[in-house]
Amino acid sequence: DVVVSWLPLYHDMGLIAGFILPILSGLRLVLLSPFDWVRAPQKLLQAISAYQGSLCWLPNFAYNFCAQKIRARDLEGVNLSSLRAVINCSEPMSWKSQQMFLERFQPYGLRPEALATCYAMAENVFAVTQGGIDAAVTVDVIDAAAFSQRHIARPVRQAAPLDAPGSLKMLSAGRPIANTQVRVI
């Protein structure tokens, strides 16, 4: 694998996934300045293409930022087919954000199966759960009213289409990673 990251090293995701993990695992690492990424987010995708990046962790806002800010002229020659996983982590994950990112960059080789999710907490030295690596990320379609009014994630009726009015798509953060136990208290 080749890890490509712009994440700041003072953040646990940047430090652990984007610096310590590659060093301890002997993986190649392409590290960009977060300041350069904010000014020119296309540099991330250009680096993935140039160095055949296979792993990249992004907070949800970065999916939106890249999809909305990167211009087609900045993607000439970019090939994202080397990505094994682009992992949505570090803040609440949005199905819409992932779809917007996929639709924007699929013409450049981004594969739907490369979209992954993760739940992390610094108290666990980063990752707790992972989704989308061994199988597609699970998308739960729930009743939007029950969720917003009563905080209950009630599944939409089976007969209803997945994009039915009043439904909300929620991304699963996946299953606990190896050697991790989860307890909700």
Side-chain angles (χ1 to χ4, degrees):
D1 280 311
V2 177
V3 175
V4 181
S5 179
W6 60 266
L7 298 167
L9 299 182
Y10 58 78
H11 187 279
D12 65 328
M13 186 164 68
L15 181 63
I16 303 298
F19 190 70
I20 293 176
L21 170 82
I23 289 172
L24 293 179
S25 301
L27 301 177
R28 287 181 47 205
L29 169 62
V30 179
L31 195 56
L32 307 170
S33 160
F35 301 107
D36 289 343
W37 177 79
V38 167
R39 283 191 291 274
Q42 70 272 9
K43 288 185 177 191
L44 175 69
L45 303 185
Q46 291 166 348
I48 289 168
S49 181
Y51 295 97
Q52 297 293 290
S54 57
L55 296 173
C56 182
W57 283 263
L58 297 174
N60 194 80
F61 88 86
Y63 283 72
N64 297 321
F65 187 70
C66 288
Q68 294 170 351
K69 300 295 182 189
I70 297 176
R71 296 173 287 221
R73 71 174 186 235
D74 295 323
L75 294 171
E76 289 182 27
V78 166
N79 182 345
L80 303 176
S81 63
S82 64
L83 275 172
R84 184 166 70 85
V86 56
I87 303 152
N88 194 340
C89 190
S90 186
E91 57 187 38
M93 303 167 297
S94 163
W95 178 84
K96 288 182 181 180
S97 298
Q98 286 212 174
Q99 285 306 114
M100 184 172 26
F101 189 83
L102 177 62
E103 289 169 11
R104 178 70 178 91
F105 300 115
Q106 197 167 16
Y108 301 93
L110 179 64
R111 295 170 293 106
E113 57 271 17
L115 296 176
T117 58
C118 177
Y119 175 75
M121 54 191 287
E123 298 84 352
N124 199 53
V125 192
F126 187 56
V128 176
T129 66
Q130 180 79 51
I133 299 295
D134 297 324
V137 173
T138 299
V139 179
D140 290 317
V141 183
I142 63 170
D143 181 301
F147 186 71
S148 65
Q149 295 166 7
R150 295 186 299 283
H151 308 290
I152 297 171
R154 179 176 296 132
V156 173
R157 299 185 330 271
Q158 289 291 355
L162 294 181
D163 58 351
S167 67
L168 181 63
K169 293 180 182 172
M170 302 290 285
L171 291 174
S172 169
R175 298 186 181 279
I177 60 170
N179 300 314
T180 301
Q181 293 180 347
V182 175
R183 202 167 59 148
V184 178
I185 55 174

